Amino acid sequence: MTSILLIYTGGTIGMMEDHQTGALVPFDFQHLEDQVPELKRFDVALSAEAFDEVLDSSDMKVDHWQRIARLIYGRYEEFDGFVILHGTDTMAYTASALSFMLPNIAKPVIITGSQLPIGMIRTDGKENLISSIQLAAMKVKGAPVVREVAIYFGSELYRGNRTYKYSTEDFEAFKSPNHAKLAAAGIHIFFDYNALYRPEGDFLLKEMMDDRVAVLKVVPGLRKEMVKAVLGISNLRGLILETYGSGNAMTDPWFLSLLKESIDSGLSVVNLTQCDRGFVEQGRYETSNALSKMGVIPGGDMTFEAAYTKLMHTLAYYQEQGEIAKKMVEPMAGEMTNYSSLV
Ligand code: ASP
């Protein structure tokens, strides 16, 4: 019988209203199990592991990602697939981080949650949970269909490190702007076999992350003292620079020279567009030429969530700036389209 490990970390799916404040608070796994009697009717062997302290995903930290990665790696041989129940707020960050921490995973890791708690009559949690288990259990000729970290939400399956949370309101809360959805679940589940990731190489646990990464969003009129404050953070190793359009930023000499000084002293700067779709193409406009020349790393079509966690991961495994840049422009776990020929 196919075996699935359910990992419950918290999130709206298992939340209940606090009697005093009316706010939603995470609740234990037993509550969730009681609300979904269907779990007992599955023709798969289900086991569950819950975080000691269940979380609103806004409280997720690097050590939580590491805990999940270790759990999956440690029990990899025991199960055919893994389903993680997680809050939607940082789901795309966790999915991205896990895709880098568990390179070449060849079994499904499906992350899901819900917009409405499982105890509410209109909950989207039941369908999300039940279909995620089914997706994690699906095999063709004995091999799992999904061999990557994916997010299932609102009847669609996505590559996790290609997604971001798009809506606080809709049941279709996630988008994957630069990669086709992996599957659509209606009466039947249709997979897009061209979109599915196929790992090559040994499955590893690479759980280290360096969190000395800052974020700077370019806005019209950005003030010098703000840029100085961010670049002046001691021990800073990485920066995500959120730019306009295809990777453009202002050309004020003070801005360019502050950035260049930081890069010359060892900072790895990744250029990421504020647009949802398309990719960074440094040198297409004069306004990104200088960035290219000083060694800013083009972030391609990565989501913010993927770029941020990939930079943390890369900084933990590599020290040399050139090597870090090389790793950042190469796809590591299907998180970016291969644009290396444009670099
Ligand atoms: N704040 C919640 C969380 O991320 C939202 C959700 O689960 O939808 O845990």
Side-chain angles (χ1 to χ4, degrees):
M1 199 193 255
T2 304
S3 58
I4 303 292
L5 179 64
L6 209 58
I7 302 170
Y8 177 51
T9 70
T12 295
I13 190 161
M15 287 190 187
M16 278 174 79
E17 259 181 35
D18 181 286
H19 294 309
Q20 272 162 6
T21 63
L24 287 171
V25 286
F27 222 74
D28 64 17
F29 185 69
Q30 186 60 49
H31 160 71
L32 202 122
E33 246 186 339
D34 294 344
Q35 298 293 333
V36 197
E38 292 89 340
L39 288 179
K40 298 199 178 68
R41 288 179 35 211
F42 265 110
D43 54 353
V44 299
L46 268 183
S47 303
E49 285 270 359
F51 270 22
D52 297 336
E53 190 201 350
V54 283
L55 297 173
D56 184 300
S57 76
S58 311
D59 280 322
M60 276 278 162
K61 312 252 176 340
V62 170
D63 63 307
H64 297 117
W65 298 337
Q66 290 169 331
R67 220 186 296 168
I68 302 170
R70 266 182 241 137
L71 180 60
I72 293 174
Y73 189 78
R75 306 195 66 183
Y76 190 68
E77 296 306 332
E78 274 176 69
F79 296 96
D80 295 297
F82 302 84
V83 172
I84 304 174
L85 294 174
H86 194 290
T88 56
D89 288 348
T90 63
M91 192 182 282
Y93 288 89
T94 298
S96 300
L98 289 179
S99 75
F100 304 126
M101 290 173 153
L102 297 169
N104 297 317
I105 190 156
K107 291 182 181 180
V109 175
I110 316 270
I111 312 182
T112 195
S114 69
Q115 293 280 54
L116 284 176
I118 203 105
M120 284 191 178
I121 202 111
R122 290 182 58 243
T123 187
D124 51 329
K126 273 195 187 185
E127 198 283 318
N128 284 347
L129 172 57
I130 290 167
S131 295
S132 293
I133 296 171
Q134 275 186 333
L135 284 159
M138 285 176 95
K139 291 183 183 175
V140 170
K141 292 187 190 145
V145 179
V146 179
R147 293 173 224 168
E148 60 186 290
V149 180
I151 286 182
Y152 179 77
F153 218 93
S155 303
E156 298 194 331
L157 185 73
Y158 308 101
R159 177 166 306 154
N161 59 26
R162 289 296 201 144
T163 63
Y164 73 98
K165 182 175 175 180
Y166 145 83
S167 174
T168 60
E169 176 62 26
D170 302 284
F171 286 149
E172 294 77 28
F174 287 84
K175 274 202 173 164
S176 168
N178 289 312
H179 189 71
K181 56 183 170 238
L182 308 181
I187 290 178
H188 303 283
I189 295 178
F190 288 107
F191 282 96
D192 178 347
Y193 282 87
N194 290 322
L196 288 164
Y197 191 67
R198 290 297 176 240
E200 287 164 17
D202 296 335
F203 171 45
L204 301 168
L205 174 66
K206 291 181 83 179
E207 59 170 309
M208 290 197 303
M209 288 279 187
D210 188 330
D211 60 5
R212 290 171 292 175
V213 175
V215 180
L216 181 64
K217 186 166 187 160
V218 170
V219 289
L222 181 64
R223 294 176 67 94
K224 185 175 178 178
E225 63 266 33
M226 292 181 186
V227 176
K228 265 189 154 171
V230 174
L231 296 178
I233 297 169
S234 62
N235 293 324
L236 191 66
R237 289 195 64 213
L239 178 80
I240 304 283
L241 185 69
E242 290 193 277
T243 58
Y244 309 124
S246 55
N248 309 310
M250 66 266 205
T251 51
D252 303 53
W254 64 263
F255 175 73
L256 297 176
S257 68
L258 279 176
L259 208 56
K260 183 170 182 319
E261 261 170 44
S262 299
I263 293 173
D264 290 347
S265 1
L267 187 71
S268 294
V269 179
V270 176
N271 184 353
L272 215 64
T273 174
Q274 293 173 25
C275 296
D276 271 4
R277 264 181 61 71
F279 62 98
V280 165
E281 198 181 353
Q282 288 181 172
R284 181 176 161 97
Y285 292 90
E286 182 59 31
T287 41
S288 63
N289 241 342
L291 301 180
S292 230
K293 281 201 199 113
M294 69 176 80
V296 170
I297 306 161
D301 61 354
M302 278 187 282
T303 59
F304 176 80
E305 290 82 344
Y308 182 66
T309 52
K310 183 178 176 181
L311 186 55
M312 288 166 99
H313 192 260
T314 306
L315 291 172
Y317 286 89
Y318 299 91
Q319 296 306 315
E320 208 267 309
Q321 247 178 335
E323 223 168 359
I324 293 163
K326 192 166 162 273
K327 293 291 163 192
M328 286 304 296
V329 299
E330 280 171 4
M332 208 177 262
E335 75 286 355
M336 71 197 303
T337 308
N338 197 347
Y339 289 122
S340 53
S341 58
L342 295 172
V343 174

